[in-house]
Amino acid sequence: MPVPWSHEPLSLQPQPAHESRLEAWYMDDSQEDQRSTHKCKPNRPASIEQIRKLGVLSWKLNADNHADDPKLKAIRAVRNYSYQDVITIRPDTLPNYEQKLKSFFEEHLHTDEEIRYILEGSGYFDVRDKDENWIRIALKKGDMIVLPEGIYHRFTLDDTNYVKAMRLFVGEPVWTPYNRPQDDMPSRKKYVDSFLSSLDTADLPVKADSSHQGGKNTQAAKAEEELIDE
């Protein structure tokens, strides 16, 4: 199992908040295309400290040297990321691109960490704060993000419609997404206990809107499998 980040060597812990280049903000509730920025007016930034409290980790690495980057190798060794592959998502390489992109955008969780390292292009991961508000995290070249097991989240490209990313995993990869609600799953309970247990709302059932579908998101799982490996 990955070592909790607070016990890793200092050089492998997430960058201090004042050094982080990740940009994040609270999303508006407009019905614009999911690839739009969805910033509130005025913008409501979310700090790196807020994101870390939700269990999300990040590093800024040298994507141009990812094959030989000693920091990436060290992170993989300490966190036991034994598997890696590279995926490319863009309209000309992913059949039924618009449909697949919508499937990635279904709110879901995984029973393992989700690790993405952006080698080219850009995209967004959205996560919930303690009050169920969406926080959008912008990822660009060189950004590595780790979403903890059991966190509700979703992914989309931005309006450039292109990303090339490294996926990492502990052992054999399992990409199965479980659509919300999944509050009785061990992974969800583990996440709540680890990151939300001190909150007043931690013991309440998570509200689900009509778009939440229980069980495996087989469409999204199939879409993950059909991504182009390079």
Side-chain angles (χ1 to χ4, degrees):
M1 296 297 293
V3 179
W5 72 265
S6 59
H7 301 297
E8 293 176 3
L10 183 61
S11 62
L12 300 185
Q13 291 185 23
Q15 292 169 299
H18 67 276
E19 295 181 3
S20 178
R21 300 180 184 180
L22 281 184
E23 183 184 7
W25 56 86
Y26 282 92
M27 297 181 67
D28 64 19
D29 58 359
S30 75
Q31 299 302 309
E32 291 184 43
D33 190 293
Q34 65 191 55
R35 289 163 286 196
S36 300
T37 60
H38 284 278
K39 289 185 176 181
C40 297
K41 297 180 180 179
N43 185 33
R44 295 175 56 207
S47 68
I48 295 300
E49 291 92 338
Q50 289 173 281
I51 295 171
R52 298 265 169 82
K53 287 179 180 178
L54 297 174
V56 178
L57 309 181
S58 63
W59 289 267
K60 189 71 174 182
L61 302 176
N62 182 3
D64 291 328
N65 188 40
H66 65 271
D68 300 307
D69 184 3
K71 187 166 185 179
L72 175 60
K73 291 180 179 179
I75 292 171
R76 290 189 60 184
V78 169
R79 300 187 65 82
N80 297 324
Y81 296 151
S82 55
Y83 175 90
Q84 77 167 54
D85 65 12
V86 175
I87 58 173
T88 299
I89 308 176
R90 63 189 185 196
D92 63 335
T93 61
L94 184 61
N96 301 315
Y97 174 78
E98 293 294 335
Q99 181 180 353
K100 299 289 178 57
L101 201 61
K102 289 179 180 178
S103 73
F104 298 150
F105 204 56
E106 292 286 342
E107 185 174 3
H108 63 277
L109 61 76
H110 297 287
T111 55
D112 297 276
E113 290 182 339
E114 181 163 358
I115 307 102
R116 295 291 184 273
Y117 175 21
I118 308 302
L119 304 180
E120 296 176 6
S122 50
Y124 300 124
F125 269 107
D126 300 336
V127 298
R128 295 279 194 184
D129 75 355
K130 64 181 180 64
D131 297 317
E132 289 290 283
N133 299 306
W134 280 116
I135 294 176
R136 171 152 284 191
I137 304 170
L139 297 176
K140 299 179 180 179
K141 181 178 178 179
D143 291 329
M144 179 177 178
I145 192 170
V146 178
L147 301 184
E149 171 189 347
I151 189 173
Y152 284 131
H153 66 283
R154 61 191 184 188
F155 172 77
T156 186
L157 271 67
D158 58 20
D159 56 11
T160 65
N161 288 300
Y162 173 64
V163 72
K164 181 178 180 180
M166 180 183 295
R167 303 187 295 186
L168 297 126
F169 204 84
V170 178
E172 288 299 313
V174 179
W175 311 120
T176 306
Y178 294 86
N179 278 10
R180 186 178 178 178
Q182 296 293 341
D183 301 305
D184 291 330
M185 283 190 70
S187 290
R188 181 59 186 176
K189 291 180 177 180
K190 178 181 176 182
Y191 176 76
V192 171
D193 289 343
S194 298
F195 298 103
L196 305 180
S197 59
S198 63
L199 303 177
D200 294 337
T201 58
D203 296 327
L204 297 177
V206 178
K207 295 180 179 179
D209 62 36
S210 59
S211 65
H212 297 151
Q213 302 293 326
K216 296 181 181 180
N217 184 344
T218 55
Q219 183 182 23
K222 184 177 180 181
E224 277 279 353
E225 294 171 356
E226 292 178 356
L227 293 177
I228 305 302
D229 292 310
E230 297 188 345

